[in-house]
Amino acid sequence: MLDVAADSYACLVDASTVLRSGPEAGVILASDPDVIEDLSQAGWLVDEPSSHRTLIAPSSVLQPLRSTNPALPFGALLNGLGSTVRFRKTALPGLIRLVAARNARLKRSDPLAAAQALAAFETVQPWLPFAGDCLQRAFLLHAHLHACGLASDWVFGVRTWPFLAHCWIQIDDVVLGETLERARAFTPILRV
């Protein structure tokens, strides 16, 4: 479970014996109705549109493509610095609301433009402060793609035994700025 409000994960051991995914995105079915009530009272279940997006497993990777436009890396640097400030000042629930609002305004998916935006971002990423962890790196990449007019999804995934969490950016089933092997090592639990 991802507790967005607390910015923490909880591994519910043996939860699969009482919980399962429903036929629609965001629907959880329980063998005991009290379990759903307990999870809801704990604040672990929400009824927000951003939490009802269908999860899409990654199947390929977008390769960065250098552009001849020298302004793209400069724009990526400015986007990254501005987004770093926002990331550092905003808690996870606010970041998720911001990404969901951005996605509601954009529907364009242009593979060539995305590959060029990704290349510009990867060029300047080493100079962006604190961009080492996946959460911030994915948020910054999403912000840059949005600034370029490109829709993308922020995907959160987990794996168990040992427990690990990770996040990355996808356009449909295509991973950006991450290896396919790494993304596939995690089960998506949230797509914003």
Side-chain angles (χ1 to χ4, degrees):
M1 301 288 294
L2 170 57
D3 184 345
V4 172
D7 190 5
S8 67
Y9 291 90
C11 182
L12 304 178
V13 178
D14 292 329
S16 64
T17 60
V18 292
L19 296 173
R20 64 184 173 86
S21 297
E24 300 172 16
V27 174
I28 296 177
L29 303 174
S31 59
D32 180 353
D34 291 339
V35 172
I36 296 292
E37 181 62 29
D38 291 344
L39 291 172
S40 183
Q41 286 181 358
W44 286 4
L45 297 180
V46 294
D47 191 17
E48 296 178 12
S50 66
S51 63
H52 296 275
R53 301 200 51 220
T54 302
L55 300 172
I56 301 172
S59 68
S60 62
V61 172
L62 182 72
Q63 296 300 321
L65 178 64
R66 304 269 179 237
S67 170
T68 57
N69 181 350
L72 279 178
F74 183 69
L77 182 62
L78 292 179
N79 293 333
L81 293 173
S83 296
T84 294
V85 171
R86 176 168 260 161
F87 180 87
R88 304 299 279 182
K89 290 184 175 185
T90 308
L92 184 61
L95 295 173
I96 287 176
R97 281 191 300 275
L98 174 65
V99 168
R102 285 177 183 161
N103 284 346
R105 293 189 299 266
L106 289 177
K107 301 297 179 216
R108 185 181 98 142
S109 178
D110 178 347
L112 176 61
Q116 291 174 338
L118 176 61
F121 178 80
E122 288 183 348
T123 298
V124 301
Q125 184 185 346
W127 290 277
L128 296 173
F130 313 111
D133 69 343
C134 64
L135 187 67
Q136 183 171 351
R137 188 174 55 251
F139 178 78
L140 298 181
L141 177 54
H142 185 277
H144 177 60
L145 292 168
H146 177 263
C148 293
L150 300 164
S152 62
D153 296 315
W154 195 9
V155 180
F156 292 75
V158 295
R159 72 178 194 196
T160 55
W161 317 122
F163 177 80
L164 289 173
H166 187 50
C167 64
W168 60 91
I169 297 299
Q170 274 185 218
I171 296 175
D172 298 322
D173 63 343
V174 180
V175 176
L176 285 76
E178 181 63 81
T179 67
L180 185 58
E181 287 177 345
R182 176 108 166 119
R184 280 187 171 169
F186 295 86
T187 300
I189 61 169
L190 176 65
R191 177 177 159 224
V192 183

